Each structure stands twice: as structure tokens, then as C-alpha cells.
Amino acid sequence: MKGIFITLEGGDCSGKTTASLMIKEELDKLGYKVHMSREPGGVKIAEQIRDVIIDVNNKEMDSMTEAMLYAASRRQHFVEKIEPILNEGGIVICDRFVDSSLVYQGVGRQLGIDKIYELNKLAVGGKEPDLTIFFDIEPEAALKRVSNGERKLDRLDLESIEFHNMVYNGYLDICDKFPNRIVKVNARATKEEVFNEALQLIKSKL
Ligand code: TMP
């Protein structure tokens, strides 16, 4: 694959989606043709799977079912959208990818990082991003943004603070595990500062 693949990672309400909109606008202005996408979702079938996963009424969902649905949604998104763009030499910036499953399902749901890694290897053939930006902010501070009404609640937002802390610690662990690929930005800073830090990292790869 000739293109450039960048992913944005972080806990719920870490500010990555807001930053990604600002990044897209700036890169457009600078004349880069960038394809933005998100997981779970990004293409029709994957968005349909997303609706099932995050539906607050699906309280009985088994953890492994959840992990497999994320992987299924990811596969469809990858083969239908990401891979063709990268094969053409394009630039893809994706809001979440395999790392989200490693920490939410592997650590948060306690299914184990290795098992979730293997499942996702089936889904995307072991494809790794060229750069991953981790939006670093503690869950307690981040989740206050939901209670401020900035965003609609989904099924995972309803998890306990302990779950979100496990996810956060999972992210810190994978930052240590993949230091050459994952770079932290300080997501406790202002929107403009977070955007600028992430933008500089992305521009260094273009
Ligand atoms: P979003 O809020 O970033 O759109 O993501 C939806 C929720 O799905 C969020 O709580 C994180 C969670 N998630 C996982 O648990 N595993 C995954 O593999 C992905 C992509 C997201």
C-alpha cells in the first residue's frame, strides 16, 4: 500500500473528533486531499453495525459479540474504503482503529489484548497505521464534557468510571508498547492547542 494511514485514538470525549474536523479544514486549505473516516462506521454496512453496537437498549450484549461486531464493522470499512484509497496512494485519517478494540474490548472488557489482536488480524490482515495520535486526558475530566451536554450518550458512555479508567490505562500501556507508532498529545489543553499539536504531527508525515 502506497498511501499514508493515520489514526486518532483516545477515550470517550477526549476531543479527537472535534480536532479531526479542524484538521480536515486546515489540510483542505493547505491543498492536501485527505480522506477522513471513523470507526465503527465509515461505510454504510459498518454504520449499520455501529447502530447495533452503541444502541443503549442492547444491554444484554455479550462482550465477545461486541468485539466481533467491532471487528466485522472494521473489516467492511477497511476493504471497502481504507484499502482502496491507500492502494491509490491517498491519505486516510481515521477516528479510531484496531487500538480501540485492544483497549476497550481487550482491557476494558477483560477479553485480553492478545485475543483481540488475533481477531483483528483476521479483520484487517495485521495492517498498522503509519502514525497514531493518542488524545491523552483522564476519563473523569473528559466525561464531564458529556454531562455538559456536548454530545449524545451511547452504550459505552454508560459504563462505569472504573471501565473508562481501565481503557485509559490500556491506552497508556499500548503507547509504551508501540512508541514508534503512537504519539501522545495533551488533550487537557484548549481545542486550538490540541488541534495545533495534532496538526504538526500529521504534517510531519505528509
Ligand atoms: P466514538 O464515540 O469514538 O464514535 O466510538 C463509539 C464507542 O465505541 C466509543 O465508546 C468507543 C467504542 N469502541 C470500542 O469499544 N471498540 C472499538 O473497536 C471502537 C472502534 C470503538
Side-chain angles (χ1 to χ4, degrees), residues 16-64:
K16 61 187 171 36
T17 309
T18 305
S20 75
L21 296 173
M22 296 165 81
I23 288 164
K24 165 77 176 150
E25 201 180 315
E26 185 62 21
L27 291 178
D28 280 350
K29 268 193 223 153
L30 295 172
Y32 291 103
K33 182 157 173 37
V34 179
H35 300 265
M36 307 297 289
S37 207
R38 70 156 181 185
E39 288 199 353
V43 293
K44 186 186 73 189
I45 294 171
E47 290 287 341
Q48 288 170 348
I49 299 172
R50 175 191 176 92
D51 290 342
V52 174
I53 302 175
I54 68 174
D55 186 339
V56 288
N57 296 311
N58 285 341
K59 293 193 175 64
E60 65 275 47
M61 191 180 292
D62 164 72
S63 299
M64 196 59 195

CSV table of all heavy atoms in Angstrom, one decimal, residues 16-64:
chain,number,residue,atom,x,y,z
A,16,LYS,N,-11.0,14.1,20.2
A,16,LYS,CA,-10.3,13.7,18.9
A,16,LYS,C,-11.3,14.0,17.7
A,16,LYS,O,-10.8,14.4,16.6
A,16,LYS,CB,-9.9,12.3,18.9
A,16,LYS,CG,-11.0,11.3,19.1
A,16,LYS,CD,-10.4,9.9,19.2
A,16,LYS,CE,-11.5,9.0,19.7
A,16,LYS,NZ,-12.9,9.3,19.2
A,17,THR,N,-12.6,13.9,17.9
A,17,THR,CA,-13.5,14.2,16.8
A,17,THR,C,-13.5,15.6,16.5
A,17,THR,O,-13.5,16.0,15.3
A,17,THR,CB,-14.9,13.6,17.1
A,17,THR,OG1,-14.7,12.3,17.6
A,17,THR,CG2,-15.8,13.6,15.9
A,18,THR,N,-13.6,16.5,17.5
A,18,THR,CA,-13.5,17.9,17.3
A,18,THR,C,-12.2,18.3,16.6
A,18,THR,O,-12.2,19.1,15.6
A,18,THR,CB,-13.6,18.7,18.6
A,18,THR,OG1,-14.7,18.2,19.3
A,18,THR,CG2,-13.6,20.2,18.5
A,19,ALA,N,-11.1,17.8,17.1
A,19,ALA,CA,-9.8,18.1,16.4
A,19,ALA,C,-9.8,17.6,15.0
A,19,ALA,O,-9.2,18.3,14.1
A,19,ALA,CB,-8.7,17.4,17.2
A,20,SER,N,-10.4,16.4,14.7
A,20,SER,CA,-10.3,15.9,13.3
A,20,SER,C,-11.0,16.8,12.4
A,20,SER,O,-10.6,17.0,11.2
A,20,SER,CB,-10.8,14.5,13.3
A,20,SER,OG,-12.2,14.4,13.4
A,21,LEU,N,-12.1,17.4,12.8
A,21,LEU,CA,-12.9,18.4,11.9
A,21,LEU,C,-12.0,19.6,11.6
A,21,LEU,O,-11.9,20.0,10.5
A,21,LEU,CB,-14.2,18.8,12.5
A,21,LEU,CG,-15.2,17.7,12.8
A,21,LEU,CD1,-16.4,18.2,13.6
A,21,LEU,CD2,-15.7,17.1,11.5
A,22,MET,N,-11.3,20.1,12.6
A,22,MET,CA,-10.4,21.3,12.4
A,22,MET,C,-9.2,20.9,11.6
A,22,MET,O,-8.8,21.7,10.7
A,22,MET,CB,-10.0,21.8,13.8
A,22,MET,CG,-11.1,22.3,14.7
A,22,MET,SD,-10.6,22.5,16.4
A,22,MET,CE,-9.7,24.1,16.4
A,23,ILE,N,-8.7,19.7,11.7
A,23,ILE,CA,-7.6,19.2,10.9
A,23,ILE,C,-8.0,19.1,9.5
A,23,ILE,O,-7.2,19.6,8.6
A,23,ILE,CB,-7.1,17.9,11.5
A,23,ILE,CG1,-6.4,18.1,12.8
A,23,ILE,CG2,-6.1,17.2,10.5
A,23,ILE,CD1,-6.2,16.8,13.6
A,24,LYS,N,-9.1,18.5,9.2
A,24,LYS,CA,-9.6,18.4,7.8
A,24,LYS,C,-9.7,19.8,7.2
A,24,LYS,O,-9.2,20.0,6.0
A,24,LYS,CB,-11.0,17.7,7.9
A,24,LYS,CG,-11.8,17.7,6.6
A,24,LYS,CD,-11.2,16.8,5.5
A,24,LYS,CE,-12.1,16.8,4.3
A,24,LYS,NZ,-11.4,16.5,3.1
A,25,GLU,N,-10.3,20.7,7.9
A,25,GLU,CA,-10.5,22.0,7.3
A,25,GLU,C,-9.1,22.7,7.0
A,25,GLU,O,-9.0,23.2,5.9
A,25,GLU,CB,-11.2,22.9,8.3
A,25,GLU,CG,-11.9,24.1,7.7
A,25,GLU,CD,-12.6,24.9,8.8
A,25,GLU,OE1,-13.3,24.3,9.7
A,25,GLU,OE2,-12.5,26.1,8.8
A,26,GLU,N,-8.2,22.5,7.9
A,26,GLU,CA,-6.9,23.1,7.7
A,26,GLU,C,-6.1,22.5,6.5
A,26,GLU,O,-5.5,23.1,5.7
A,26,GLU,CB,-6.1,23.1,9.0
A,26,GLU,CG,-4.7,23.8,8.9
A,26,GLU,CD,-4.8,25.3,8.7
A,26,GLU,OE1,-5.9,25.9,9.0
A,26,GLU,OE2,-3.8,25.8,8.3
A,27,LEU,N,-6.2,21.1,6.5
A,27,LEU,CA,-5.4,20.4,5.4
A,27,LEU,C,-6.0,20.7,4.1
A,27,LEU,O,-5.3,20.8,3.1
A,27,LEU,CB,-5.4,18.9,5.7
A,27,LEU,CG,-4.6,18.5,6.9
A,27,LEU,CD1,-4.7,17.0,7.1
A,27,LEU,CD2,-3.1,18.9,6.8
A,28,ASP,N,-7.4,20.9,4.0
A,28,ASP,CA,-8.0,21.3,2.7
A,28,ASP,C,-7.5,22.6,2.3
A,28,ASP,O,-7.2,22.8,1.1
A,28,ASP,CB,-9.6,21.4,2.9
A,28,ASP,CG,-10.3,20.0,2.9
A,28,ASP,OD1,-9.6,19.0,2.6
A,28,ASP,OD2,-11.5,20.0,3.3
A,29,LYS,N,-7.4,23.5,3.3
A,29,LYS,CA,-6.9,24.9,2.9
A,29,LYS,C,-5.5,24.8,2.4
A,29,LYS,O,-5.1,25.6,1.5
A,29,LYS,CB,-6.9,25.8,4.2
A,29,LYS,CG,-8.2,26.5,4.4
A,29,LYS,CD,-7.9,27.6,5.5
A,29,LYS,CE,-9.1,27.7,6.4
A,29,LYS,NZ,-8.7,28.1,7.8
A,30,LEU,N,-4.7,23.9,3.0
A,30,LEU,CA,-3.3,23.8,2.5
A,30,LEU,C,-3.1,23.0,1.2
A,30,LEU,O,-2.0,22.8,0.7
A,30,LEU,CB,-2.5,23.1,3.6
A,30,LEU,CG,-2.3,23.9,5.0
A,30,LEU,CD1,-1.7,23.0,6.0
A,30,LEU,CD2,-1.5,25.2,4.7
A,31,GLY,N,-4.3,22.5,0.7
A,31,GLY,CA,-4.2,21.8,-0.6
A,31,GLY,C,-4.0,20.3,-0.5
A,31,GLY,O,-3.8,19.7,-1.6
A,32,TYR,N,-4.1,19.7,0.7
A,32,TYR,CA,-3.9,18.3,0.7
A,32,TYR,C,-5.3,17.6,0.5
A,32,TYR,O,-6.3,18.1,1.0
A,32,TYR,CB,-3.4,17.8,2.1
A,32,TYR,CG,-2.0,18.2,2.4
A,32,TYR,CD1,-1.8,19.3,3.3
A,32,TYR,CD2,-0.9,17.5,1.9
A,32,TYR,CE1,-0.5,19.7,3.6
A,32,TYR,CE2,0.4,17.9,2.2
A,32,TYR,CZ,0.6,19.0,3.1
A,32,TYR,OH,1.9,19.3,3.4
A,33,LYS,N,-5.3,16.5,-0.3
A,33,LYS,CA,-6.5,15.8,-0.4
A,33,LYS,C,-6.5,14.6,0.6
A,33,LYS,O,-5.7,13.7,0.5
A,33,LYS,CB,-6.6,15.2,-1.8
A,33,LYS,CG,-7.9,14.4,-2.1
A,33,LYS,CD,-8.3,14.3,-3.5
A,33,LYS,CE,-9.5,13.4,-3.7
A,33,LYS,NZ,-10.5,13.5,-2.7
A,34,VAL,N,-7.3,14.8,1.7
A,34,VAL,CA,-7.3,13.9,2.8
A,34,VAL,C,-8.7,13.3,2.9
A,34,VAL,O,-9.7,13.9,2.8
A,34,VAL,CB,-7.0,14.6,4.1
A,34,VAL,CG1,-7.0,13.7,5.3
A,34,VAL,CG2,-5.6,15.3,4.0
A,35,HIS,N,-8.7,11.9,3.1
A,35,HIS,CA,-10.0,11.2,3.3
A,35,HIS,C,-10.1,11.0,4.8
A,35,HIS,O,-9.3,10.3,5.4
A,35,HIS,CB,-10.0,9.9,2.6
A,35,HIS,CG,-9.8,10.0,1.1
A,35,HIS,ND1,-10.8,10.1,0.3
A,35,HIS,CD2,-8.7,10.2,0.4
A,35,HIS,CE1,-10.4,10.2,-1.0
A,35,HIS,NE2,-9.1,10.3,-0.9
A,36,MET,N,-11.2,11.6,5.4
A,36,MET,CA,-11.4,11.4,6.8
A,36,MET,C,-12.5,10.2,7.0
A,36,MET,O,-13.4,10.1,6.2
A,36,MET,CB,-12.1,12.6,7.5
A,36,MET,CG,-11.3,13.9,7.2
A,36,MET,SD,-9.7,14.0,7.9
A,36,MET,CE,-10.0,14.1,9.7
A,37,SER,N,-12.3,9.4,8.0
A,37,SER,CA,-13.3,8.4,8.3
A,37,SER,C,-13.3,8.1,9.8
A,37,SER,O,-12.6,8.7,10.5
A,37,SER,CB,-13.0,7.1,7.5
A,37,SER,OG,-14.1,6.4,7.2
A,38,ARG,N,-14.2,7.2,10.1
A,38,ARG,CA,-14.3,6.9,11.6
A,38,ARG,C,-14.8,5.5,11.8
A,38,ARG,O,-15.4,4.8,10.9
A,38,ARG,CB,-15.4,7.8,12.2
A,38,ARG,CG,-16.8,7.5,11.8
A,38,ARG,CD,-17.8,7.9,12.8
A,38,ARG,NE,-19.2,7.6,12.4
A,38,ARG,CZ,-20.2,8.0,13.1
A,38,ARG,NH1,-20.1,8.7,14.2
A,38,ARG,NH2,-21.5,7.6,12.7
A,39,GLU,N,-14.5,5.0,13.0
A,39,GLU,CA,-14.9,3.6,13.3
A,39,GLU,C,-15.6,3.7,14.7
A,39,GLU,O,-15.2,4.5,15.5
A,39,GLU,CB,-13.7,2.7,13.4
A,39,GLU,CG,-13.1,2.3,12.1
A,39,GLU,CD,-12.3,1.1,12.2
A,39,GLU,OE1,-12.0,0.6,13.4
A,39,GLU,OE2,-11.9,0.6,11.2
A,40,PRO,N,-16.5,2.8,15.0
A,40,PRO,CA,-17.1,1.9,14.0
A,40,PRO,C,-18.0,2.7,13.0
A,40,PRO,O,-18.6,3.7,13.4
A,40,PRO,CB,-18.0,1.0,14.9
A,40,PRO,CG,-18.3,1.8,16.1
A,40,PRO,CD,-17.1,2.7,16.3
A,41,GLY,N,-17.9,2.4,11.7
A,41,GLY,CA,-18.6,3.1,10.7
A,41,GLY,C,-17.8,3.4,9.5
A,41,GLY,O,-16.9,2.6,9.1
A,42,GLY,N,-18.1,4.5,8.9
A,42,GLY,CA,-17.3,4.9,7.7
A,42,GLY,C,-17.8,4.5,6.4
A,42,GLY,O,-17.6,5.2,5.4
A,43,VAL,N,-18.6,3.4,6.3
A,43,VAL,CA,-19.3,3.0,5.1
A,43,VAL,C,-20.7,2.4,5.6
A,43,VAL,O,-20.8,2.1,6.8
A,43,VAL,CB,-18.5,1.9,4.3
A,43,VAL,CG1,-17.3,2.4,3.7
A,43,VAL,CG2,-18.3,0.7,5.1
A,44,LYS,N,-21.6,2.3,4.6
A,44,LYS,CA,-23.0,2.0,5.0
A,44,LYS,C,-23.1,0.8,6.0
A,44,LYS,O,-23.7,0.9,7.0
A,44,LYS,CB,-23.8,1.8,3.7
A,44,LYS,CG,-25.3,1.6,4.0
A,44,LYS,CD,-26.1,1.3,2.8
A,44,LYS,CE,-25.8,-0.1,2.3
A,44,LYS,NZ,-26.3,-0.6,1.1
A,45,ILE,N,-22.6,-0.4,5.5
A,45,ILE,CA,-22.8,-1.6,6.3
A,45,ILE,C,-22.1,-1.4,7.7
A,45,ILE,O,-22.7,-1.8,8.8
A,45,ILE,CB,-22.2,-2.8,5.6
A,45,ILE,CG1,-23.0,-3.1,4.3
A,45,ILE,CG2,-22.2,-4.0,6.5
A,45,ILE,CD1,-22.4,-4.1,3.4
A,46,ALA,N,-21.0,-0.8,7.8
A,46,ALA,CA,-20.3,-0.6,9.0
A,46,ALA,C,-21.0,0.4,9.9
A,46,ALA,O,-21.1,0.2,11.2
A,46,ALA,CB,-18.9,-0.1,8.8
A,47,GLU,N,-21.7,1.4,9.3
A,47,GLU,CA,-22.5,2.3,10.1
A,47,GLU,C,-23.7,1.6,10.7
A,47,GLU,O,-24.2,1.8,11.8
A,47,GLU,CB,-23.0,3.5,9.3
A,47,GLU,CG,-21.9,4.5,8.9
A,47,GLU,CD,-21.4,5.4,10.1
A,47,GLU,OE1,-22.1,5.5,11.1
A,47,GLU,OE2,-20.3,5.9,9.9
A,48,GLN,N,-24.3,0.6,9.9
A,48,GLN,CA,-25.4,-0.2,10.4
A,48,GLN,C,-25.0,-1.0,11.6
A,48,GLN,O,-25.7,-1.1,12.6
A,48,GLN,CB,-26.0,-1.1,9.3
A,48,GLN,CG,-26.7,-0.3,8.2
A,48,GLN,CD,-27.1,-1.1,7.0
A,48,GLN,OE1,-26.6,-2.2,6.8
A,48,GLN,NE2,-27.9,-0.5,6.1
A,49,ILE,N,-23.8,-1.6,11.5
A,49,ILE,CA,-23.3,-2.4,12.6
A,49,ILE,C,-23.1,-1.5,13.8
A,49,ILE,O,-23.4,-1.8,15.0
A,49,ILE,CB,-22.0,-3.2,12.3
A,49,ILE,CG1,-22.2,-4.1,11.1
A,49,ILE,CG2,-21.4,-3.9,13.5
A,49,ILE,CD1,-21.0,-4.8,10.5
A,50,ARG,N,-22.5,-0.3,13.6
A,50,ARG,CA,-22.3,0.7,14.7
A,50,ARG,C,-23.6,1.0,15.4
A,50,ARG,O,-23.6,1.0,16.7
A,50,ARG,CB,-21.8,2.0,14.1
A,50,ARG,CG,-21.7,3.2,15.1
A,50,ARG,CD,-21.5,4.5,14.4
A,50,ARG,NE,-21.4,5.6,15.4
A,50,ARG,CZ,-20.3,6.0,16.0
A,50,ARG,NH1,-19.1,5.5,15.7
A,50,ARG,NH2,-20.4,6.9,17.0
A,51,ASP,N,-24.7,1.1,14.7
A,51,ASP,CA,-26.0,1.4,15.4
A,51,ASP,C,-26.4,0.3,16.3
A,51,ASP,O,-26.9,0.6,17.4
A,51,ASP,CB,-27.1,1.6,14.3
A,51,ASP,CG,-27.0,2.8,13.5
A,51,ASP,OD1,-26.2,3.7,14.0
A,51,ASP,OD2,-27.5,3.0,12.4
A,52,VAL,N,-26.1,-1.0,16.0
A,52,VAL,CA,-26.4,-2.1,16.9
A,52,VAL,C,-25.5,-2.0,18.1
A,52,VAL,O,-25.9,-2.2,19.2
A,52,VAL,CB,-26.2,-3.4,16.1
A,52,VAL,CG1,-26.4,-4.6,17.1
A,52,VAL,CG2,-27.2,-3.6,14.9
A,53,ILE,N,-24.2,-1.8,17.8
A,53,ILE,CA,-23.2,-1.8,18.9
A,53,ILE,C,-23.5,-0.7,20.0
A,53,ILE,O,-23.5,-1.0,21.2
A,53,ILE,CB,-21.8,-1.6,18.4
A,53,ILE,CG1,-21.4,-2.6,17.4
A,53,ILE,CG2,-20.8,-1.6,19.6
A,53,ILE,CD1,-20.0,-2.3,16.8
A,54,ILE,N,-23.8,0.5,19.5
A,54,ILE,CA,-23.9,1.6,20.5
A,54,ILE,C,-25.3,1.8,21.1
A,54,ILE,O,-25.5,2.7,21.9
A,54,ILE,CB,-23.3,2.9,20.0
A,54,ILE,CG1,-24.1,3.5,18.9
A,54,ILE,CG2,-21.8,2.7,19.6
A,54,ILE,CD1,-23.5,4.9,18.4
A,55,ASP,N,-26.3,1.1,20.5
A,55,ASP,CA,-27.7,1.2,21.0
A,55,ASP,C,-27.8,1.0,22.5
A,55,ASP,O,-27.5,-0.1,23.0
A,55,ASP,CB,-28.5,0.2,20.2
A,55,ASP,CG,-30.0,0.4,20.5
A,55,ASP,OD1,-30.4,1.0,21.5
A,55,ASP,OD2,-30.8,-0.1,19.7
A,56,VAL,N,-28.2,2.0,23.2
A,56,VAL,CA,-28.3,1.9,24.7
A,56,VAL,C,-29.3,0.9,25.2
A,56,VAL,O,-29.3,0.4,26.3
A,56,VAL,CB,-28.7,3.3,25.3
A,56,VAL,CG1,-27.6,4.3,25.3
A,56,VAL,CG2,-29.9,3.9,24.7
A,57,ASN,N,-30.2,0.4,24.2
A,57,ASN,CA,-31.1,-0.6,24.6
A,57,ASN,C,-30.5,-2.1,24.6
A,57,ASN,O,-31.1,-3.0,25.1
A,57,ASN,CB,-32.4,-0.6,23.7
A,57,ASN,CG,-33.1,0.7,23.9
A,57,ASN,OD1,-33.4,1.1,25.1
A,57,ASN,ND2,-33.4,1.4,22.8
A,58,ASN,N,-29.4,-2.2,23.9
A,58,ASN,CA,-28.8,-3.5,23.8
A,58,ASN,C,-27.9,-3.9,25.0
A,58,ASN,O,-26.8,-4.3,24.9
A,58,ASN,CB,-27.9,-3.6,22.5
A,58,ASN,CG,-28.8,-3.7,21.3
A,58,ASN,OD1,-30.0,-4.0,21.4
A,58,ASN,ND2,-28.3,-3.3,20.1
A,59,LYS,N,-28.6,-3.8,26.1
A,59,LYS,CA,-27.8,-4.0,27.4
A,59,LYS,C,-27.3,-5.5,27.6
A,59,LYS,O,-26.4,-5.7,28.3
A,59,LYS,CB,-28.8,-3.7,28.6
A,59,LYS,CG,-29.1,-2.2,28.7
A,59,LYS,CD,-29.8,-1.9,30.0
A,59,LYS,CE,-30.0,-0.4,30.1
A,59,LYS,NZ,-31.0,0.1,29.1
A,60,GLU,N,-28.0,-6.4,26.9
A,60,GLU,CA,-27.6,-7.9,27.1
A,60,GLU,C,-26.5,-8.3,26.2
A,60,GLU,O,-26.1,-9.4,26.2
A,60,GLU,CB,-28.8,-8.8,26.9
A,60,GLU,CG,-29.4,-8.8,25.5
A,60,GLU,CD,-30.4,-7.7,25.2
A,60,GLU,OE1,-30.2,-6.5,25.5
A,60,GLU,OE2,-31.5,-8.0,24.6
A,61,MET,N,-25.9,-7.3,25.5
A,61,MET,CA,-24.8,-7.7,24.5
A,61,MET,C,-23.6,-8.4,25.2
A,61,MET,O,-23.0,-7.8,26.1
A,61,MET,CB,-24.4,-6.6,23.6
A,61,MET,CG,-23.5,-7.1,22.5
A,61,MET,SD,-22.9,-5.8,21.4
A,61,MET,CE,-24.4,-5.2,20.7
A,62,ASP,N,-23.2,-9.5,24.8
A,62,ASP,CA,-22.1,-10.3,25.3
A,62,ASP,C,-20.8,-9.6,24.8
A,62,ASP,O,-20.7,-9.0,23.7
A,62,ASP,CB,-22.2,-11.7,24.7
A,62,ASP,CG,-20.9,-12.5,24.8
A,62,ASP,OD1,-20.5,-12.8,26.0
A,62,ASP,OD2,-20.2,-12.7,23.8
A,63,SER,N,-19.7,-9.6,25.7
A,63,SER,CA,-18.5,-8.9,25.4
A,63,SER,C,-17.8,-9.4,24.1
A,63,SER,O,-17.3,-8.6,23.3
A,63,SER,CB,-17.5,-9.0,26.5
A,63,SER,OG,-18.0,-8.5,27.7
A,64,MET,N,-17.8,-10.7,23.9
A,64,MET,CA,-17.2,-11.2,22.7
A,64,MET,C,-18.0,-10.9,21.4
A,64,MET,O,-17.4,-10.6,20.4
A,64,MET,CB,-17.0,-12.7,22.8
A,64,MET,CG,-16.0,-13.3,21.9
A,64,MET,SD,-14.3,-12.5,22.1
A,64,MET,CE,-13.5,-13.0,20.6
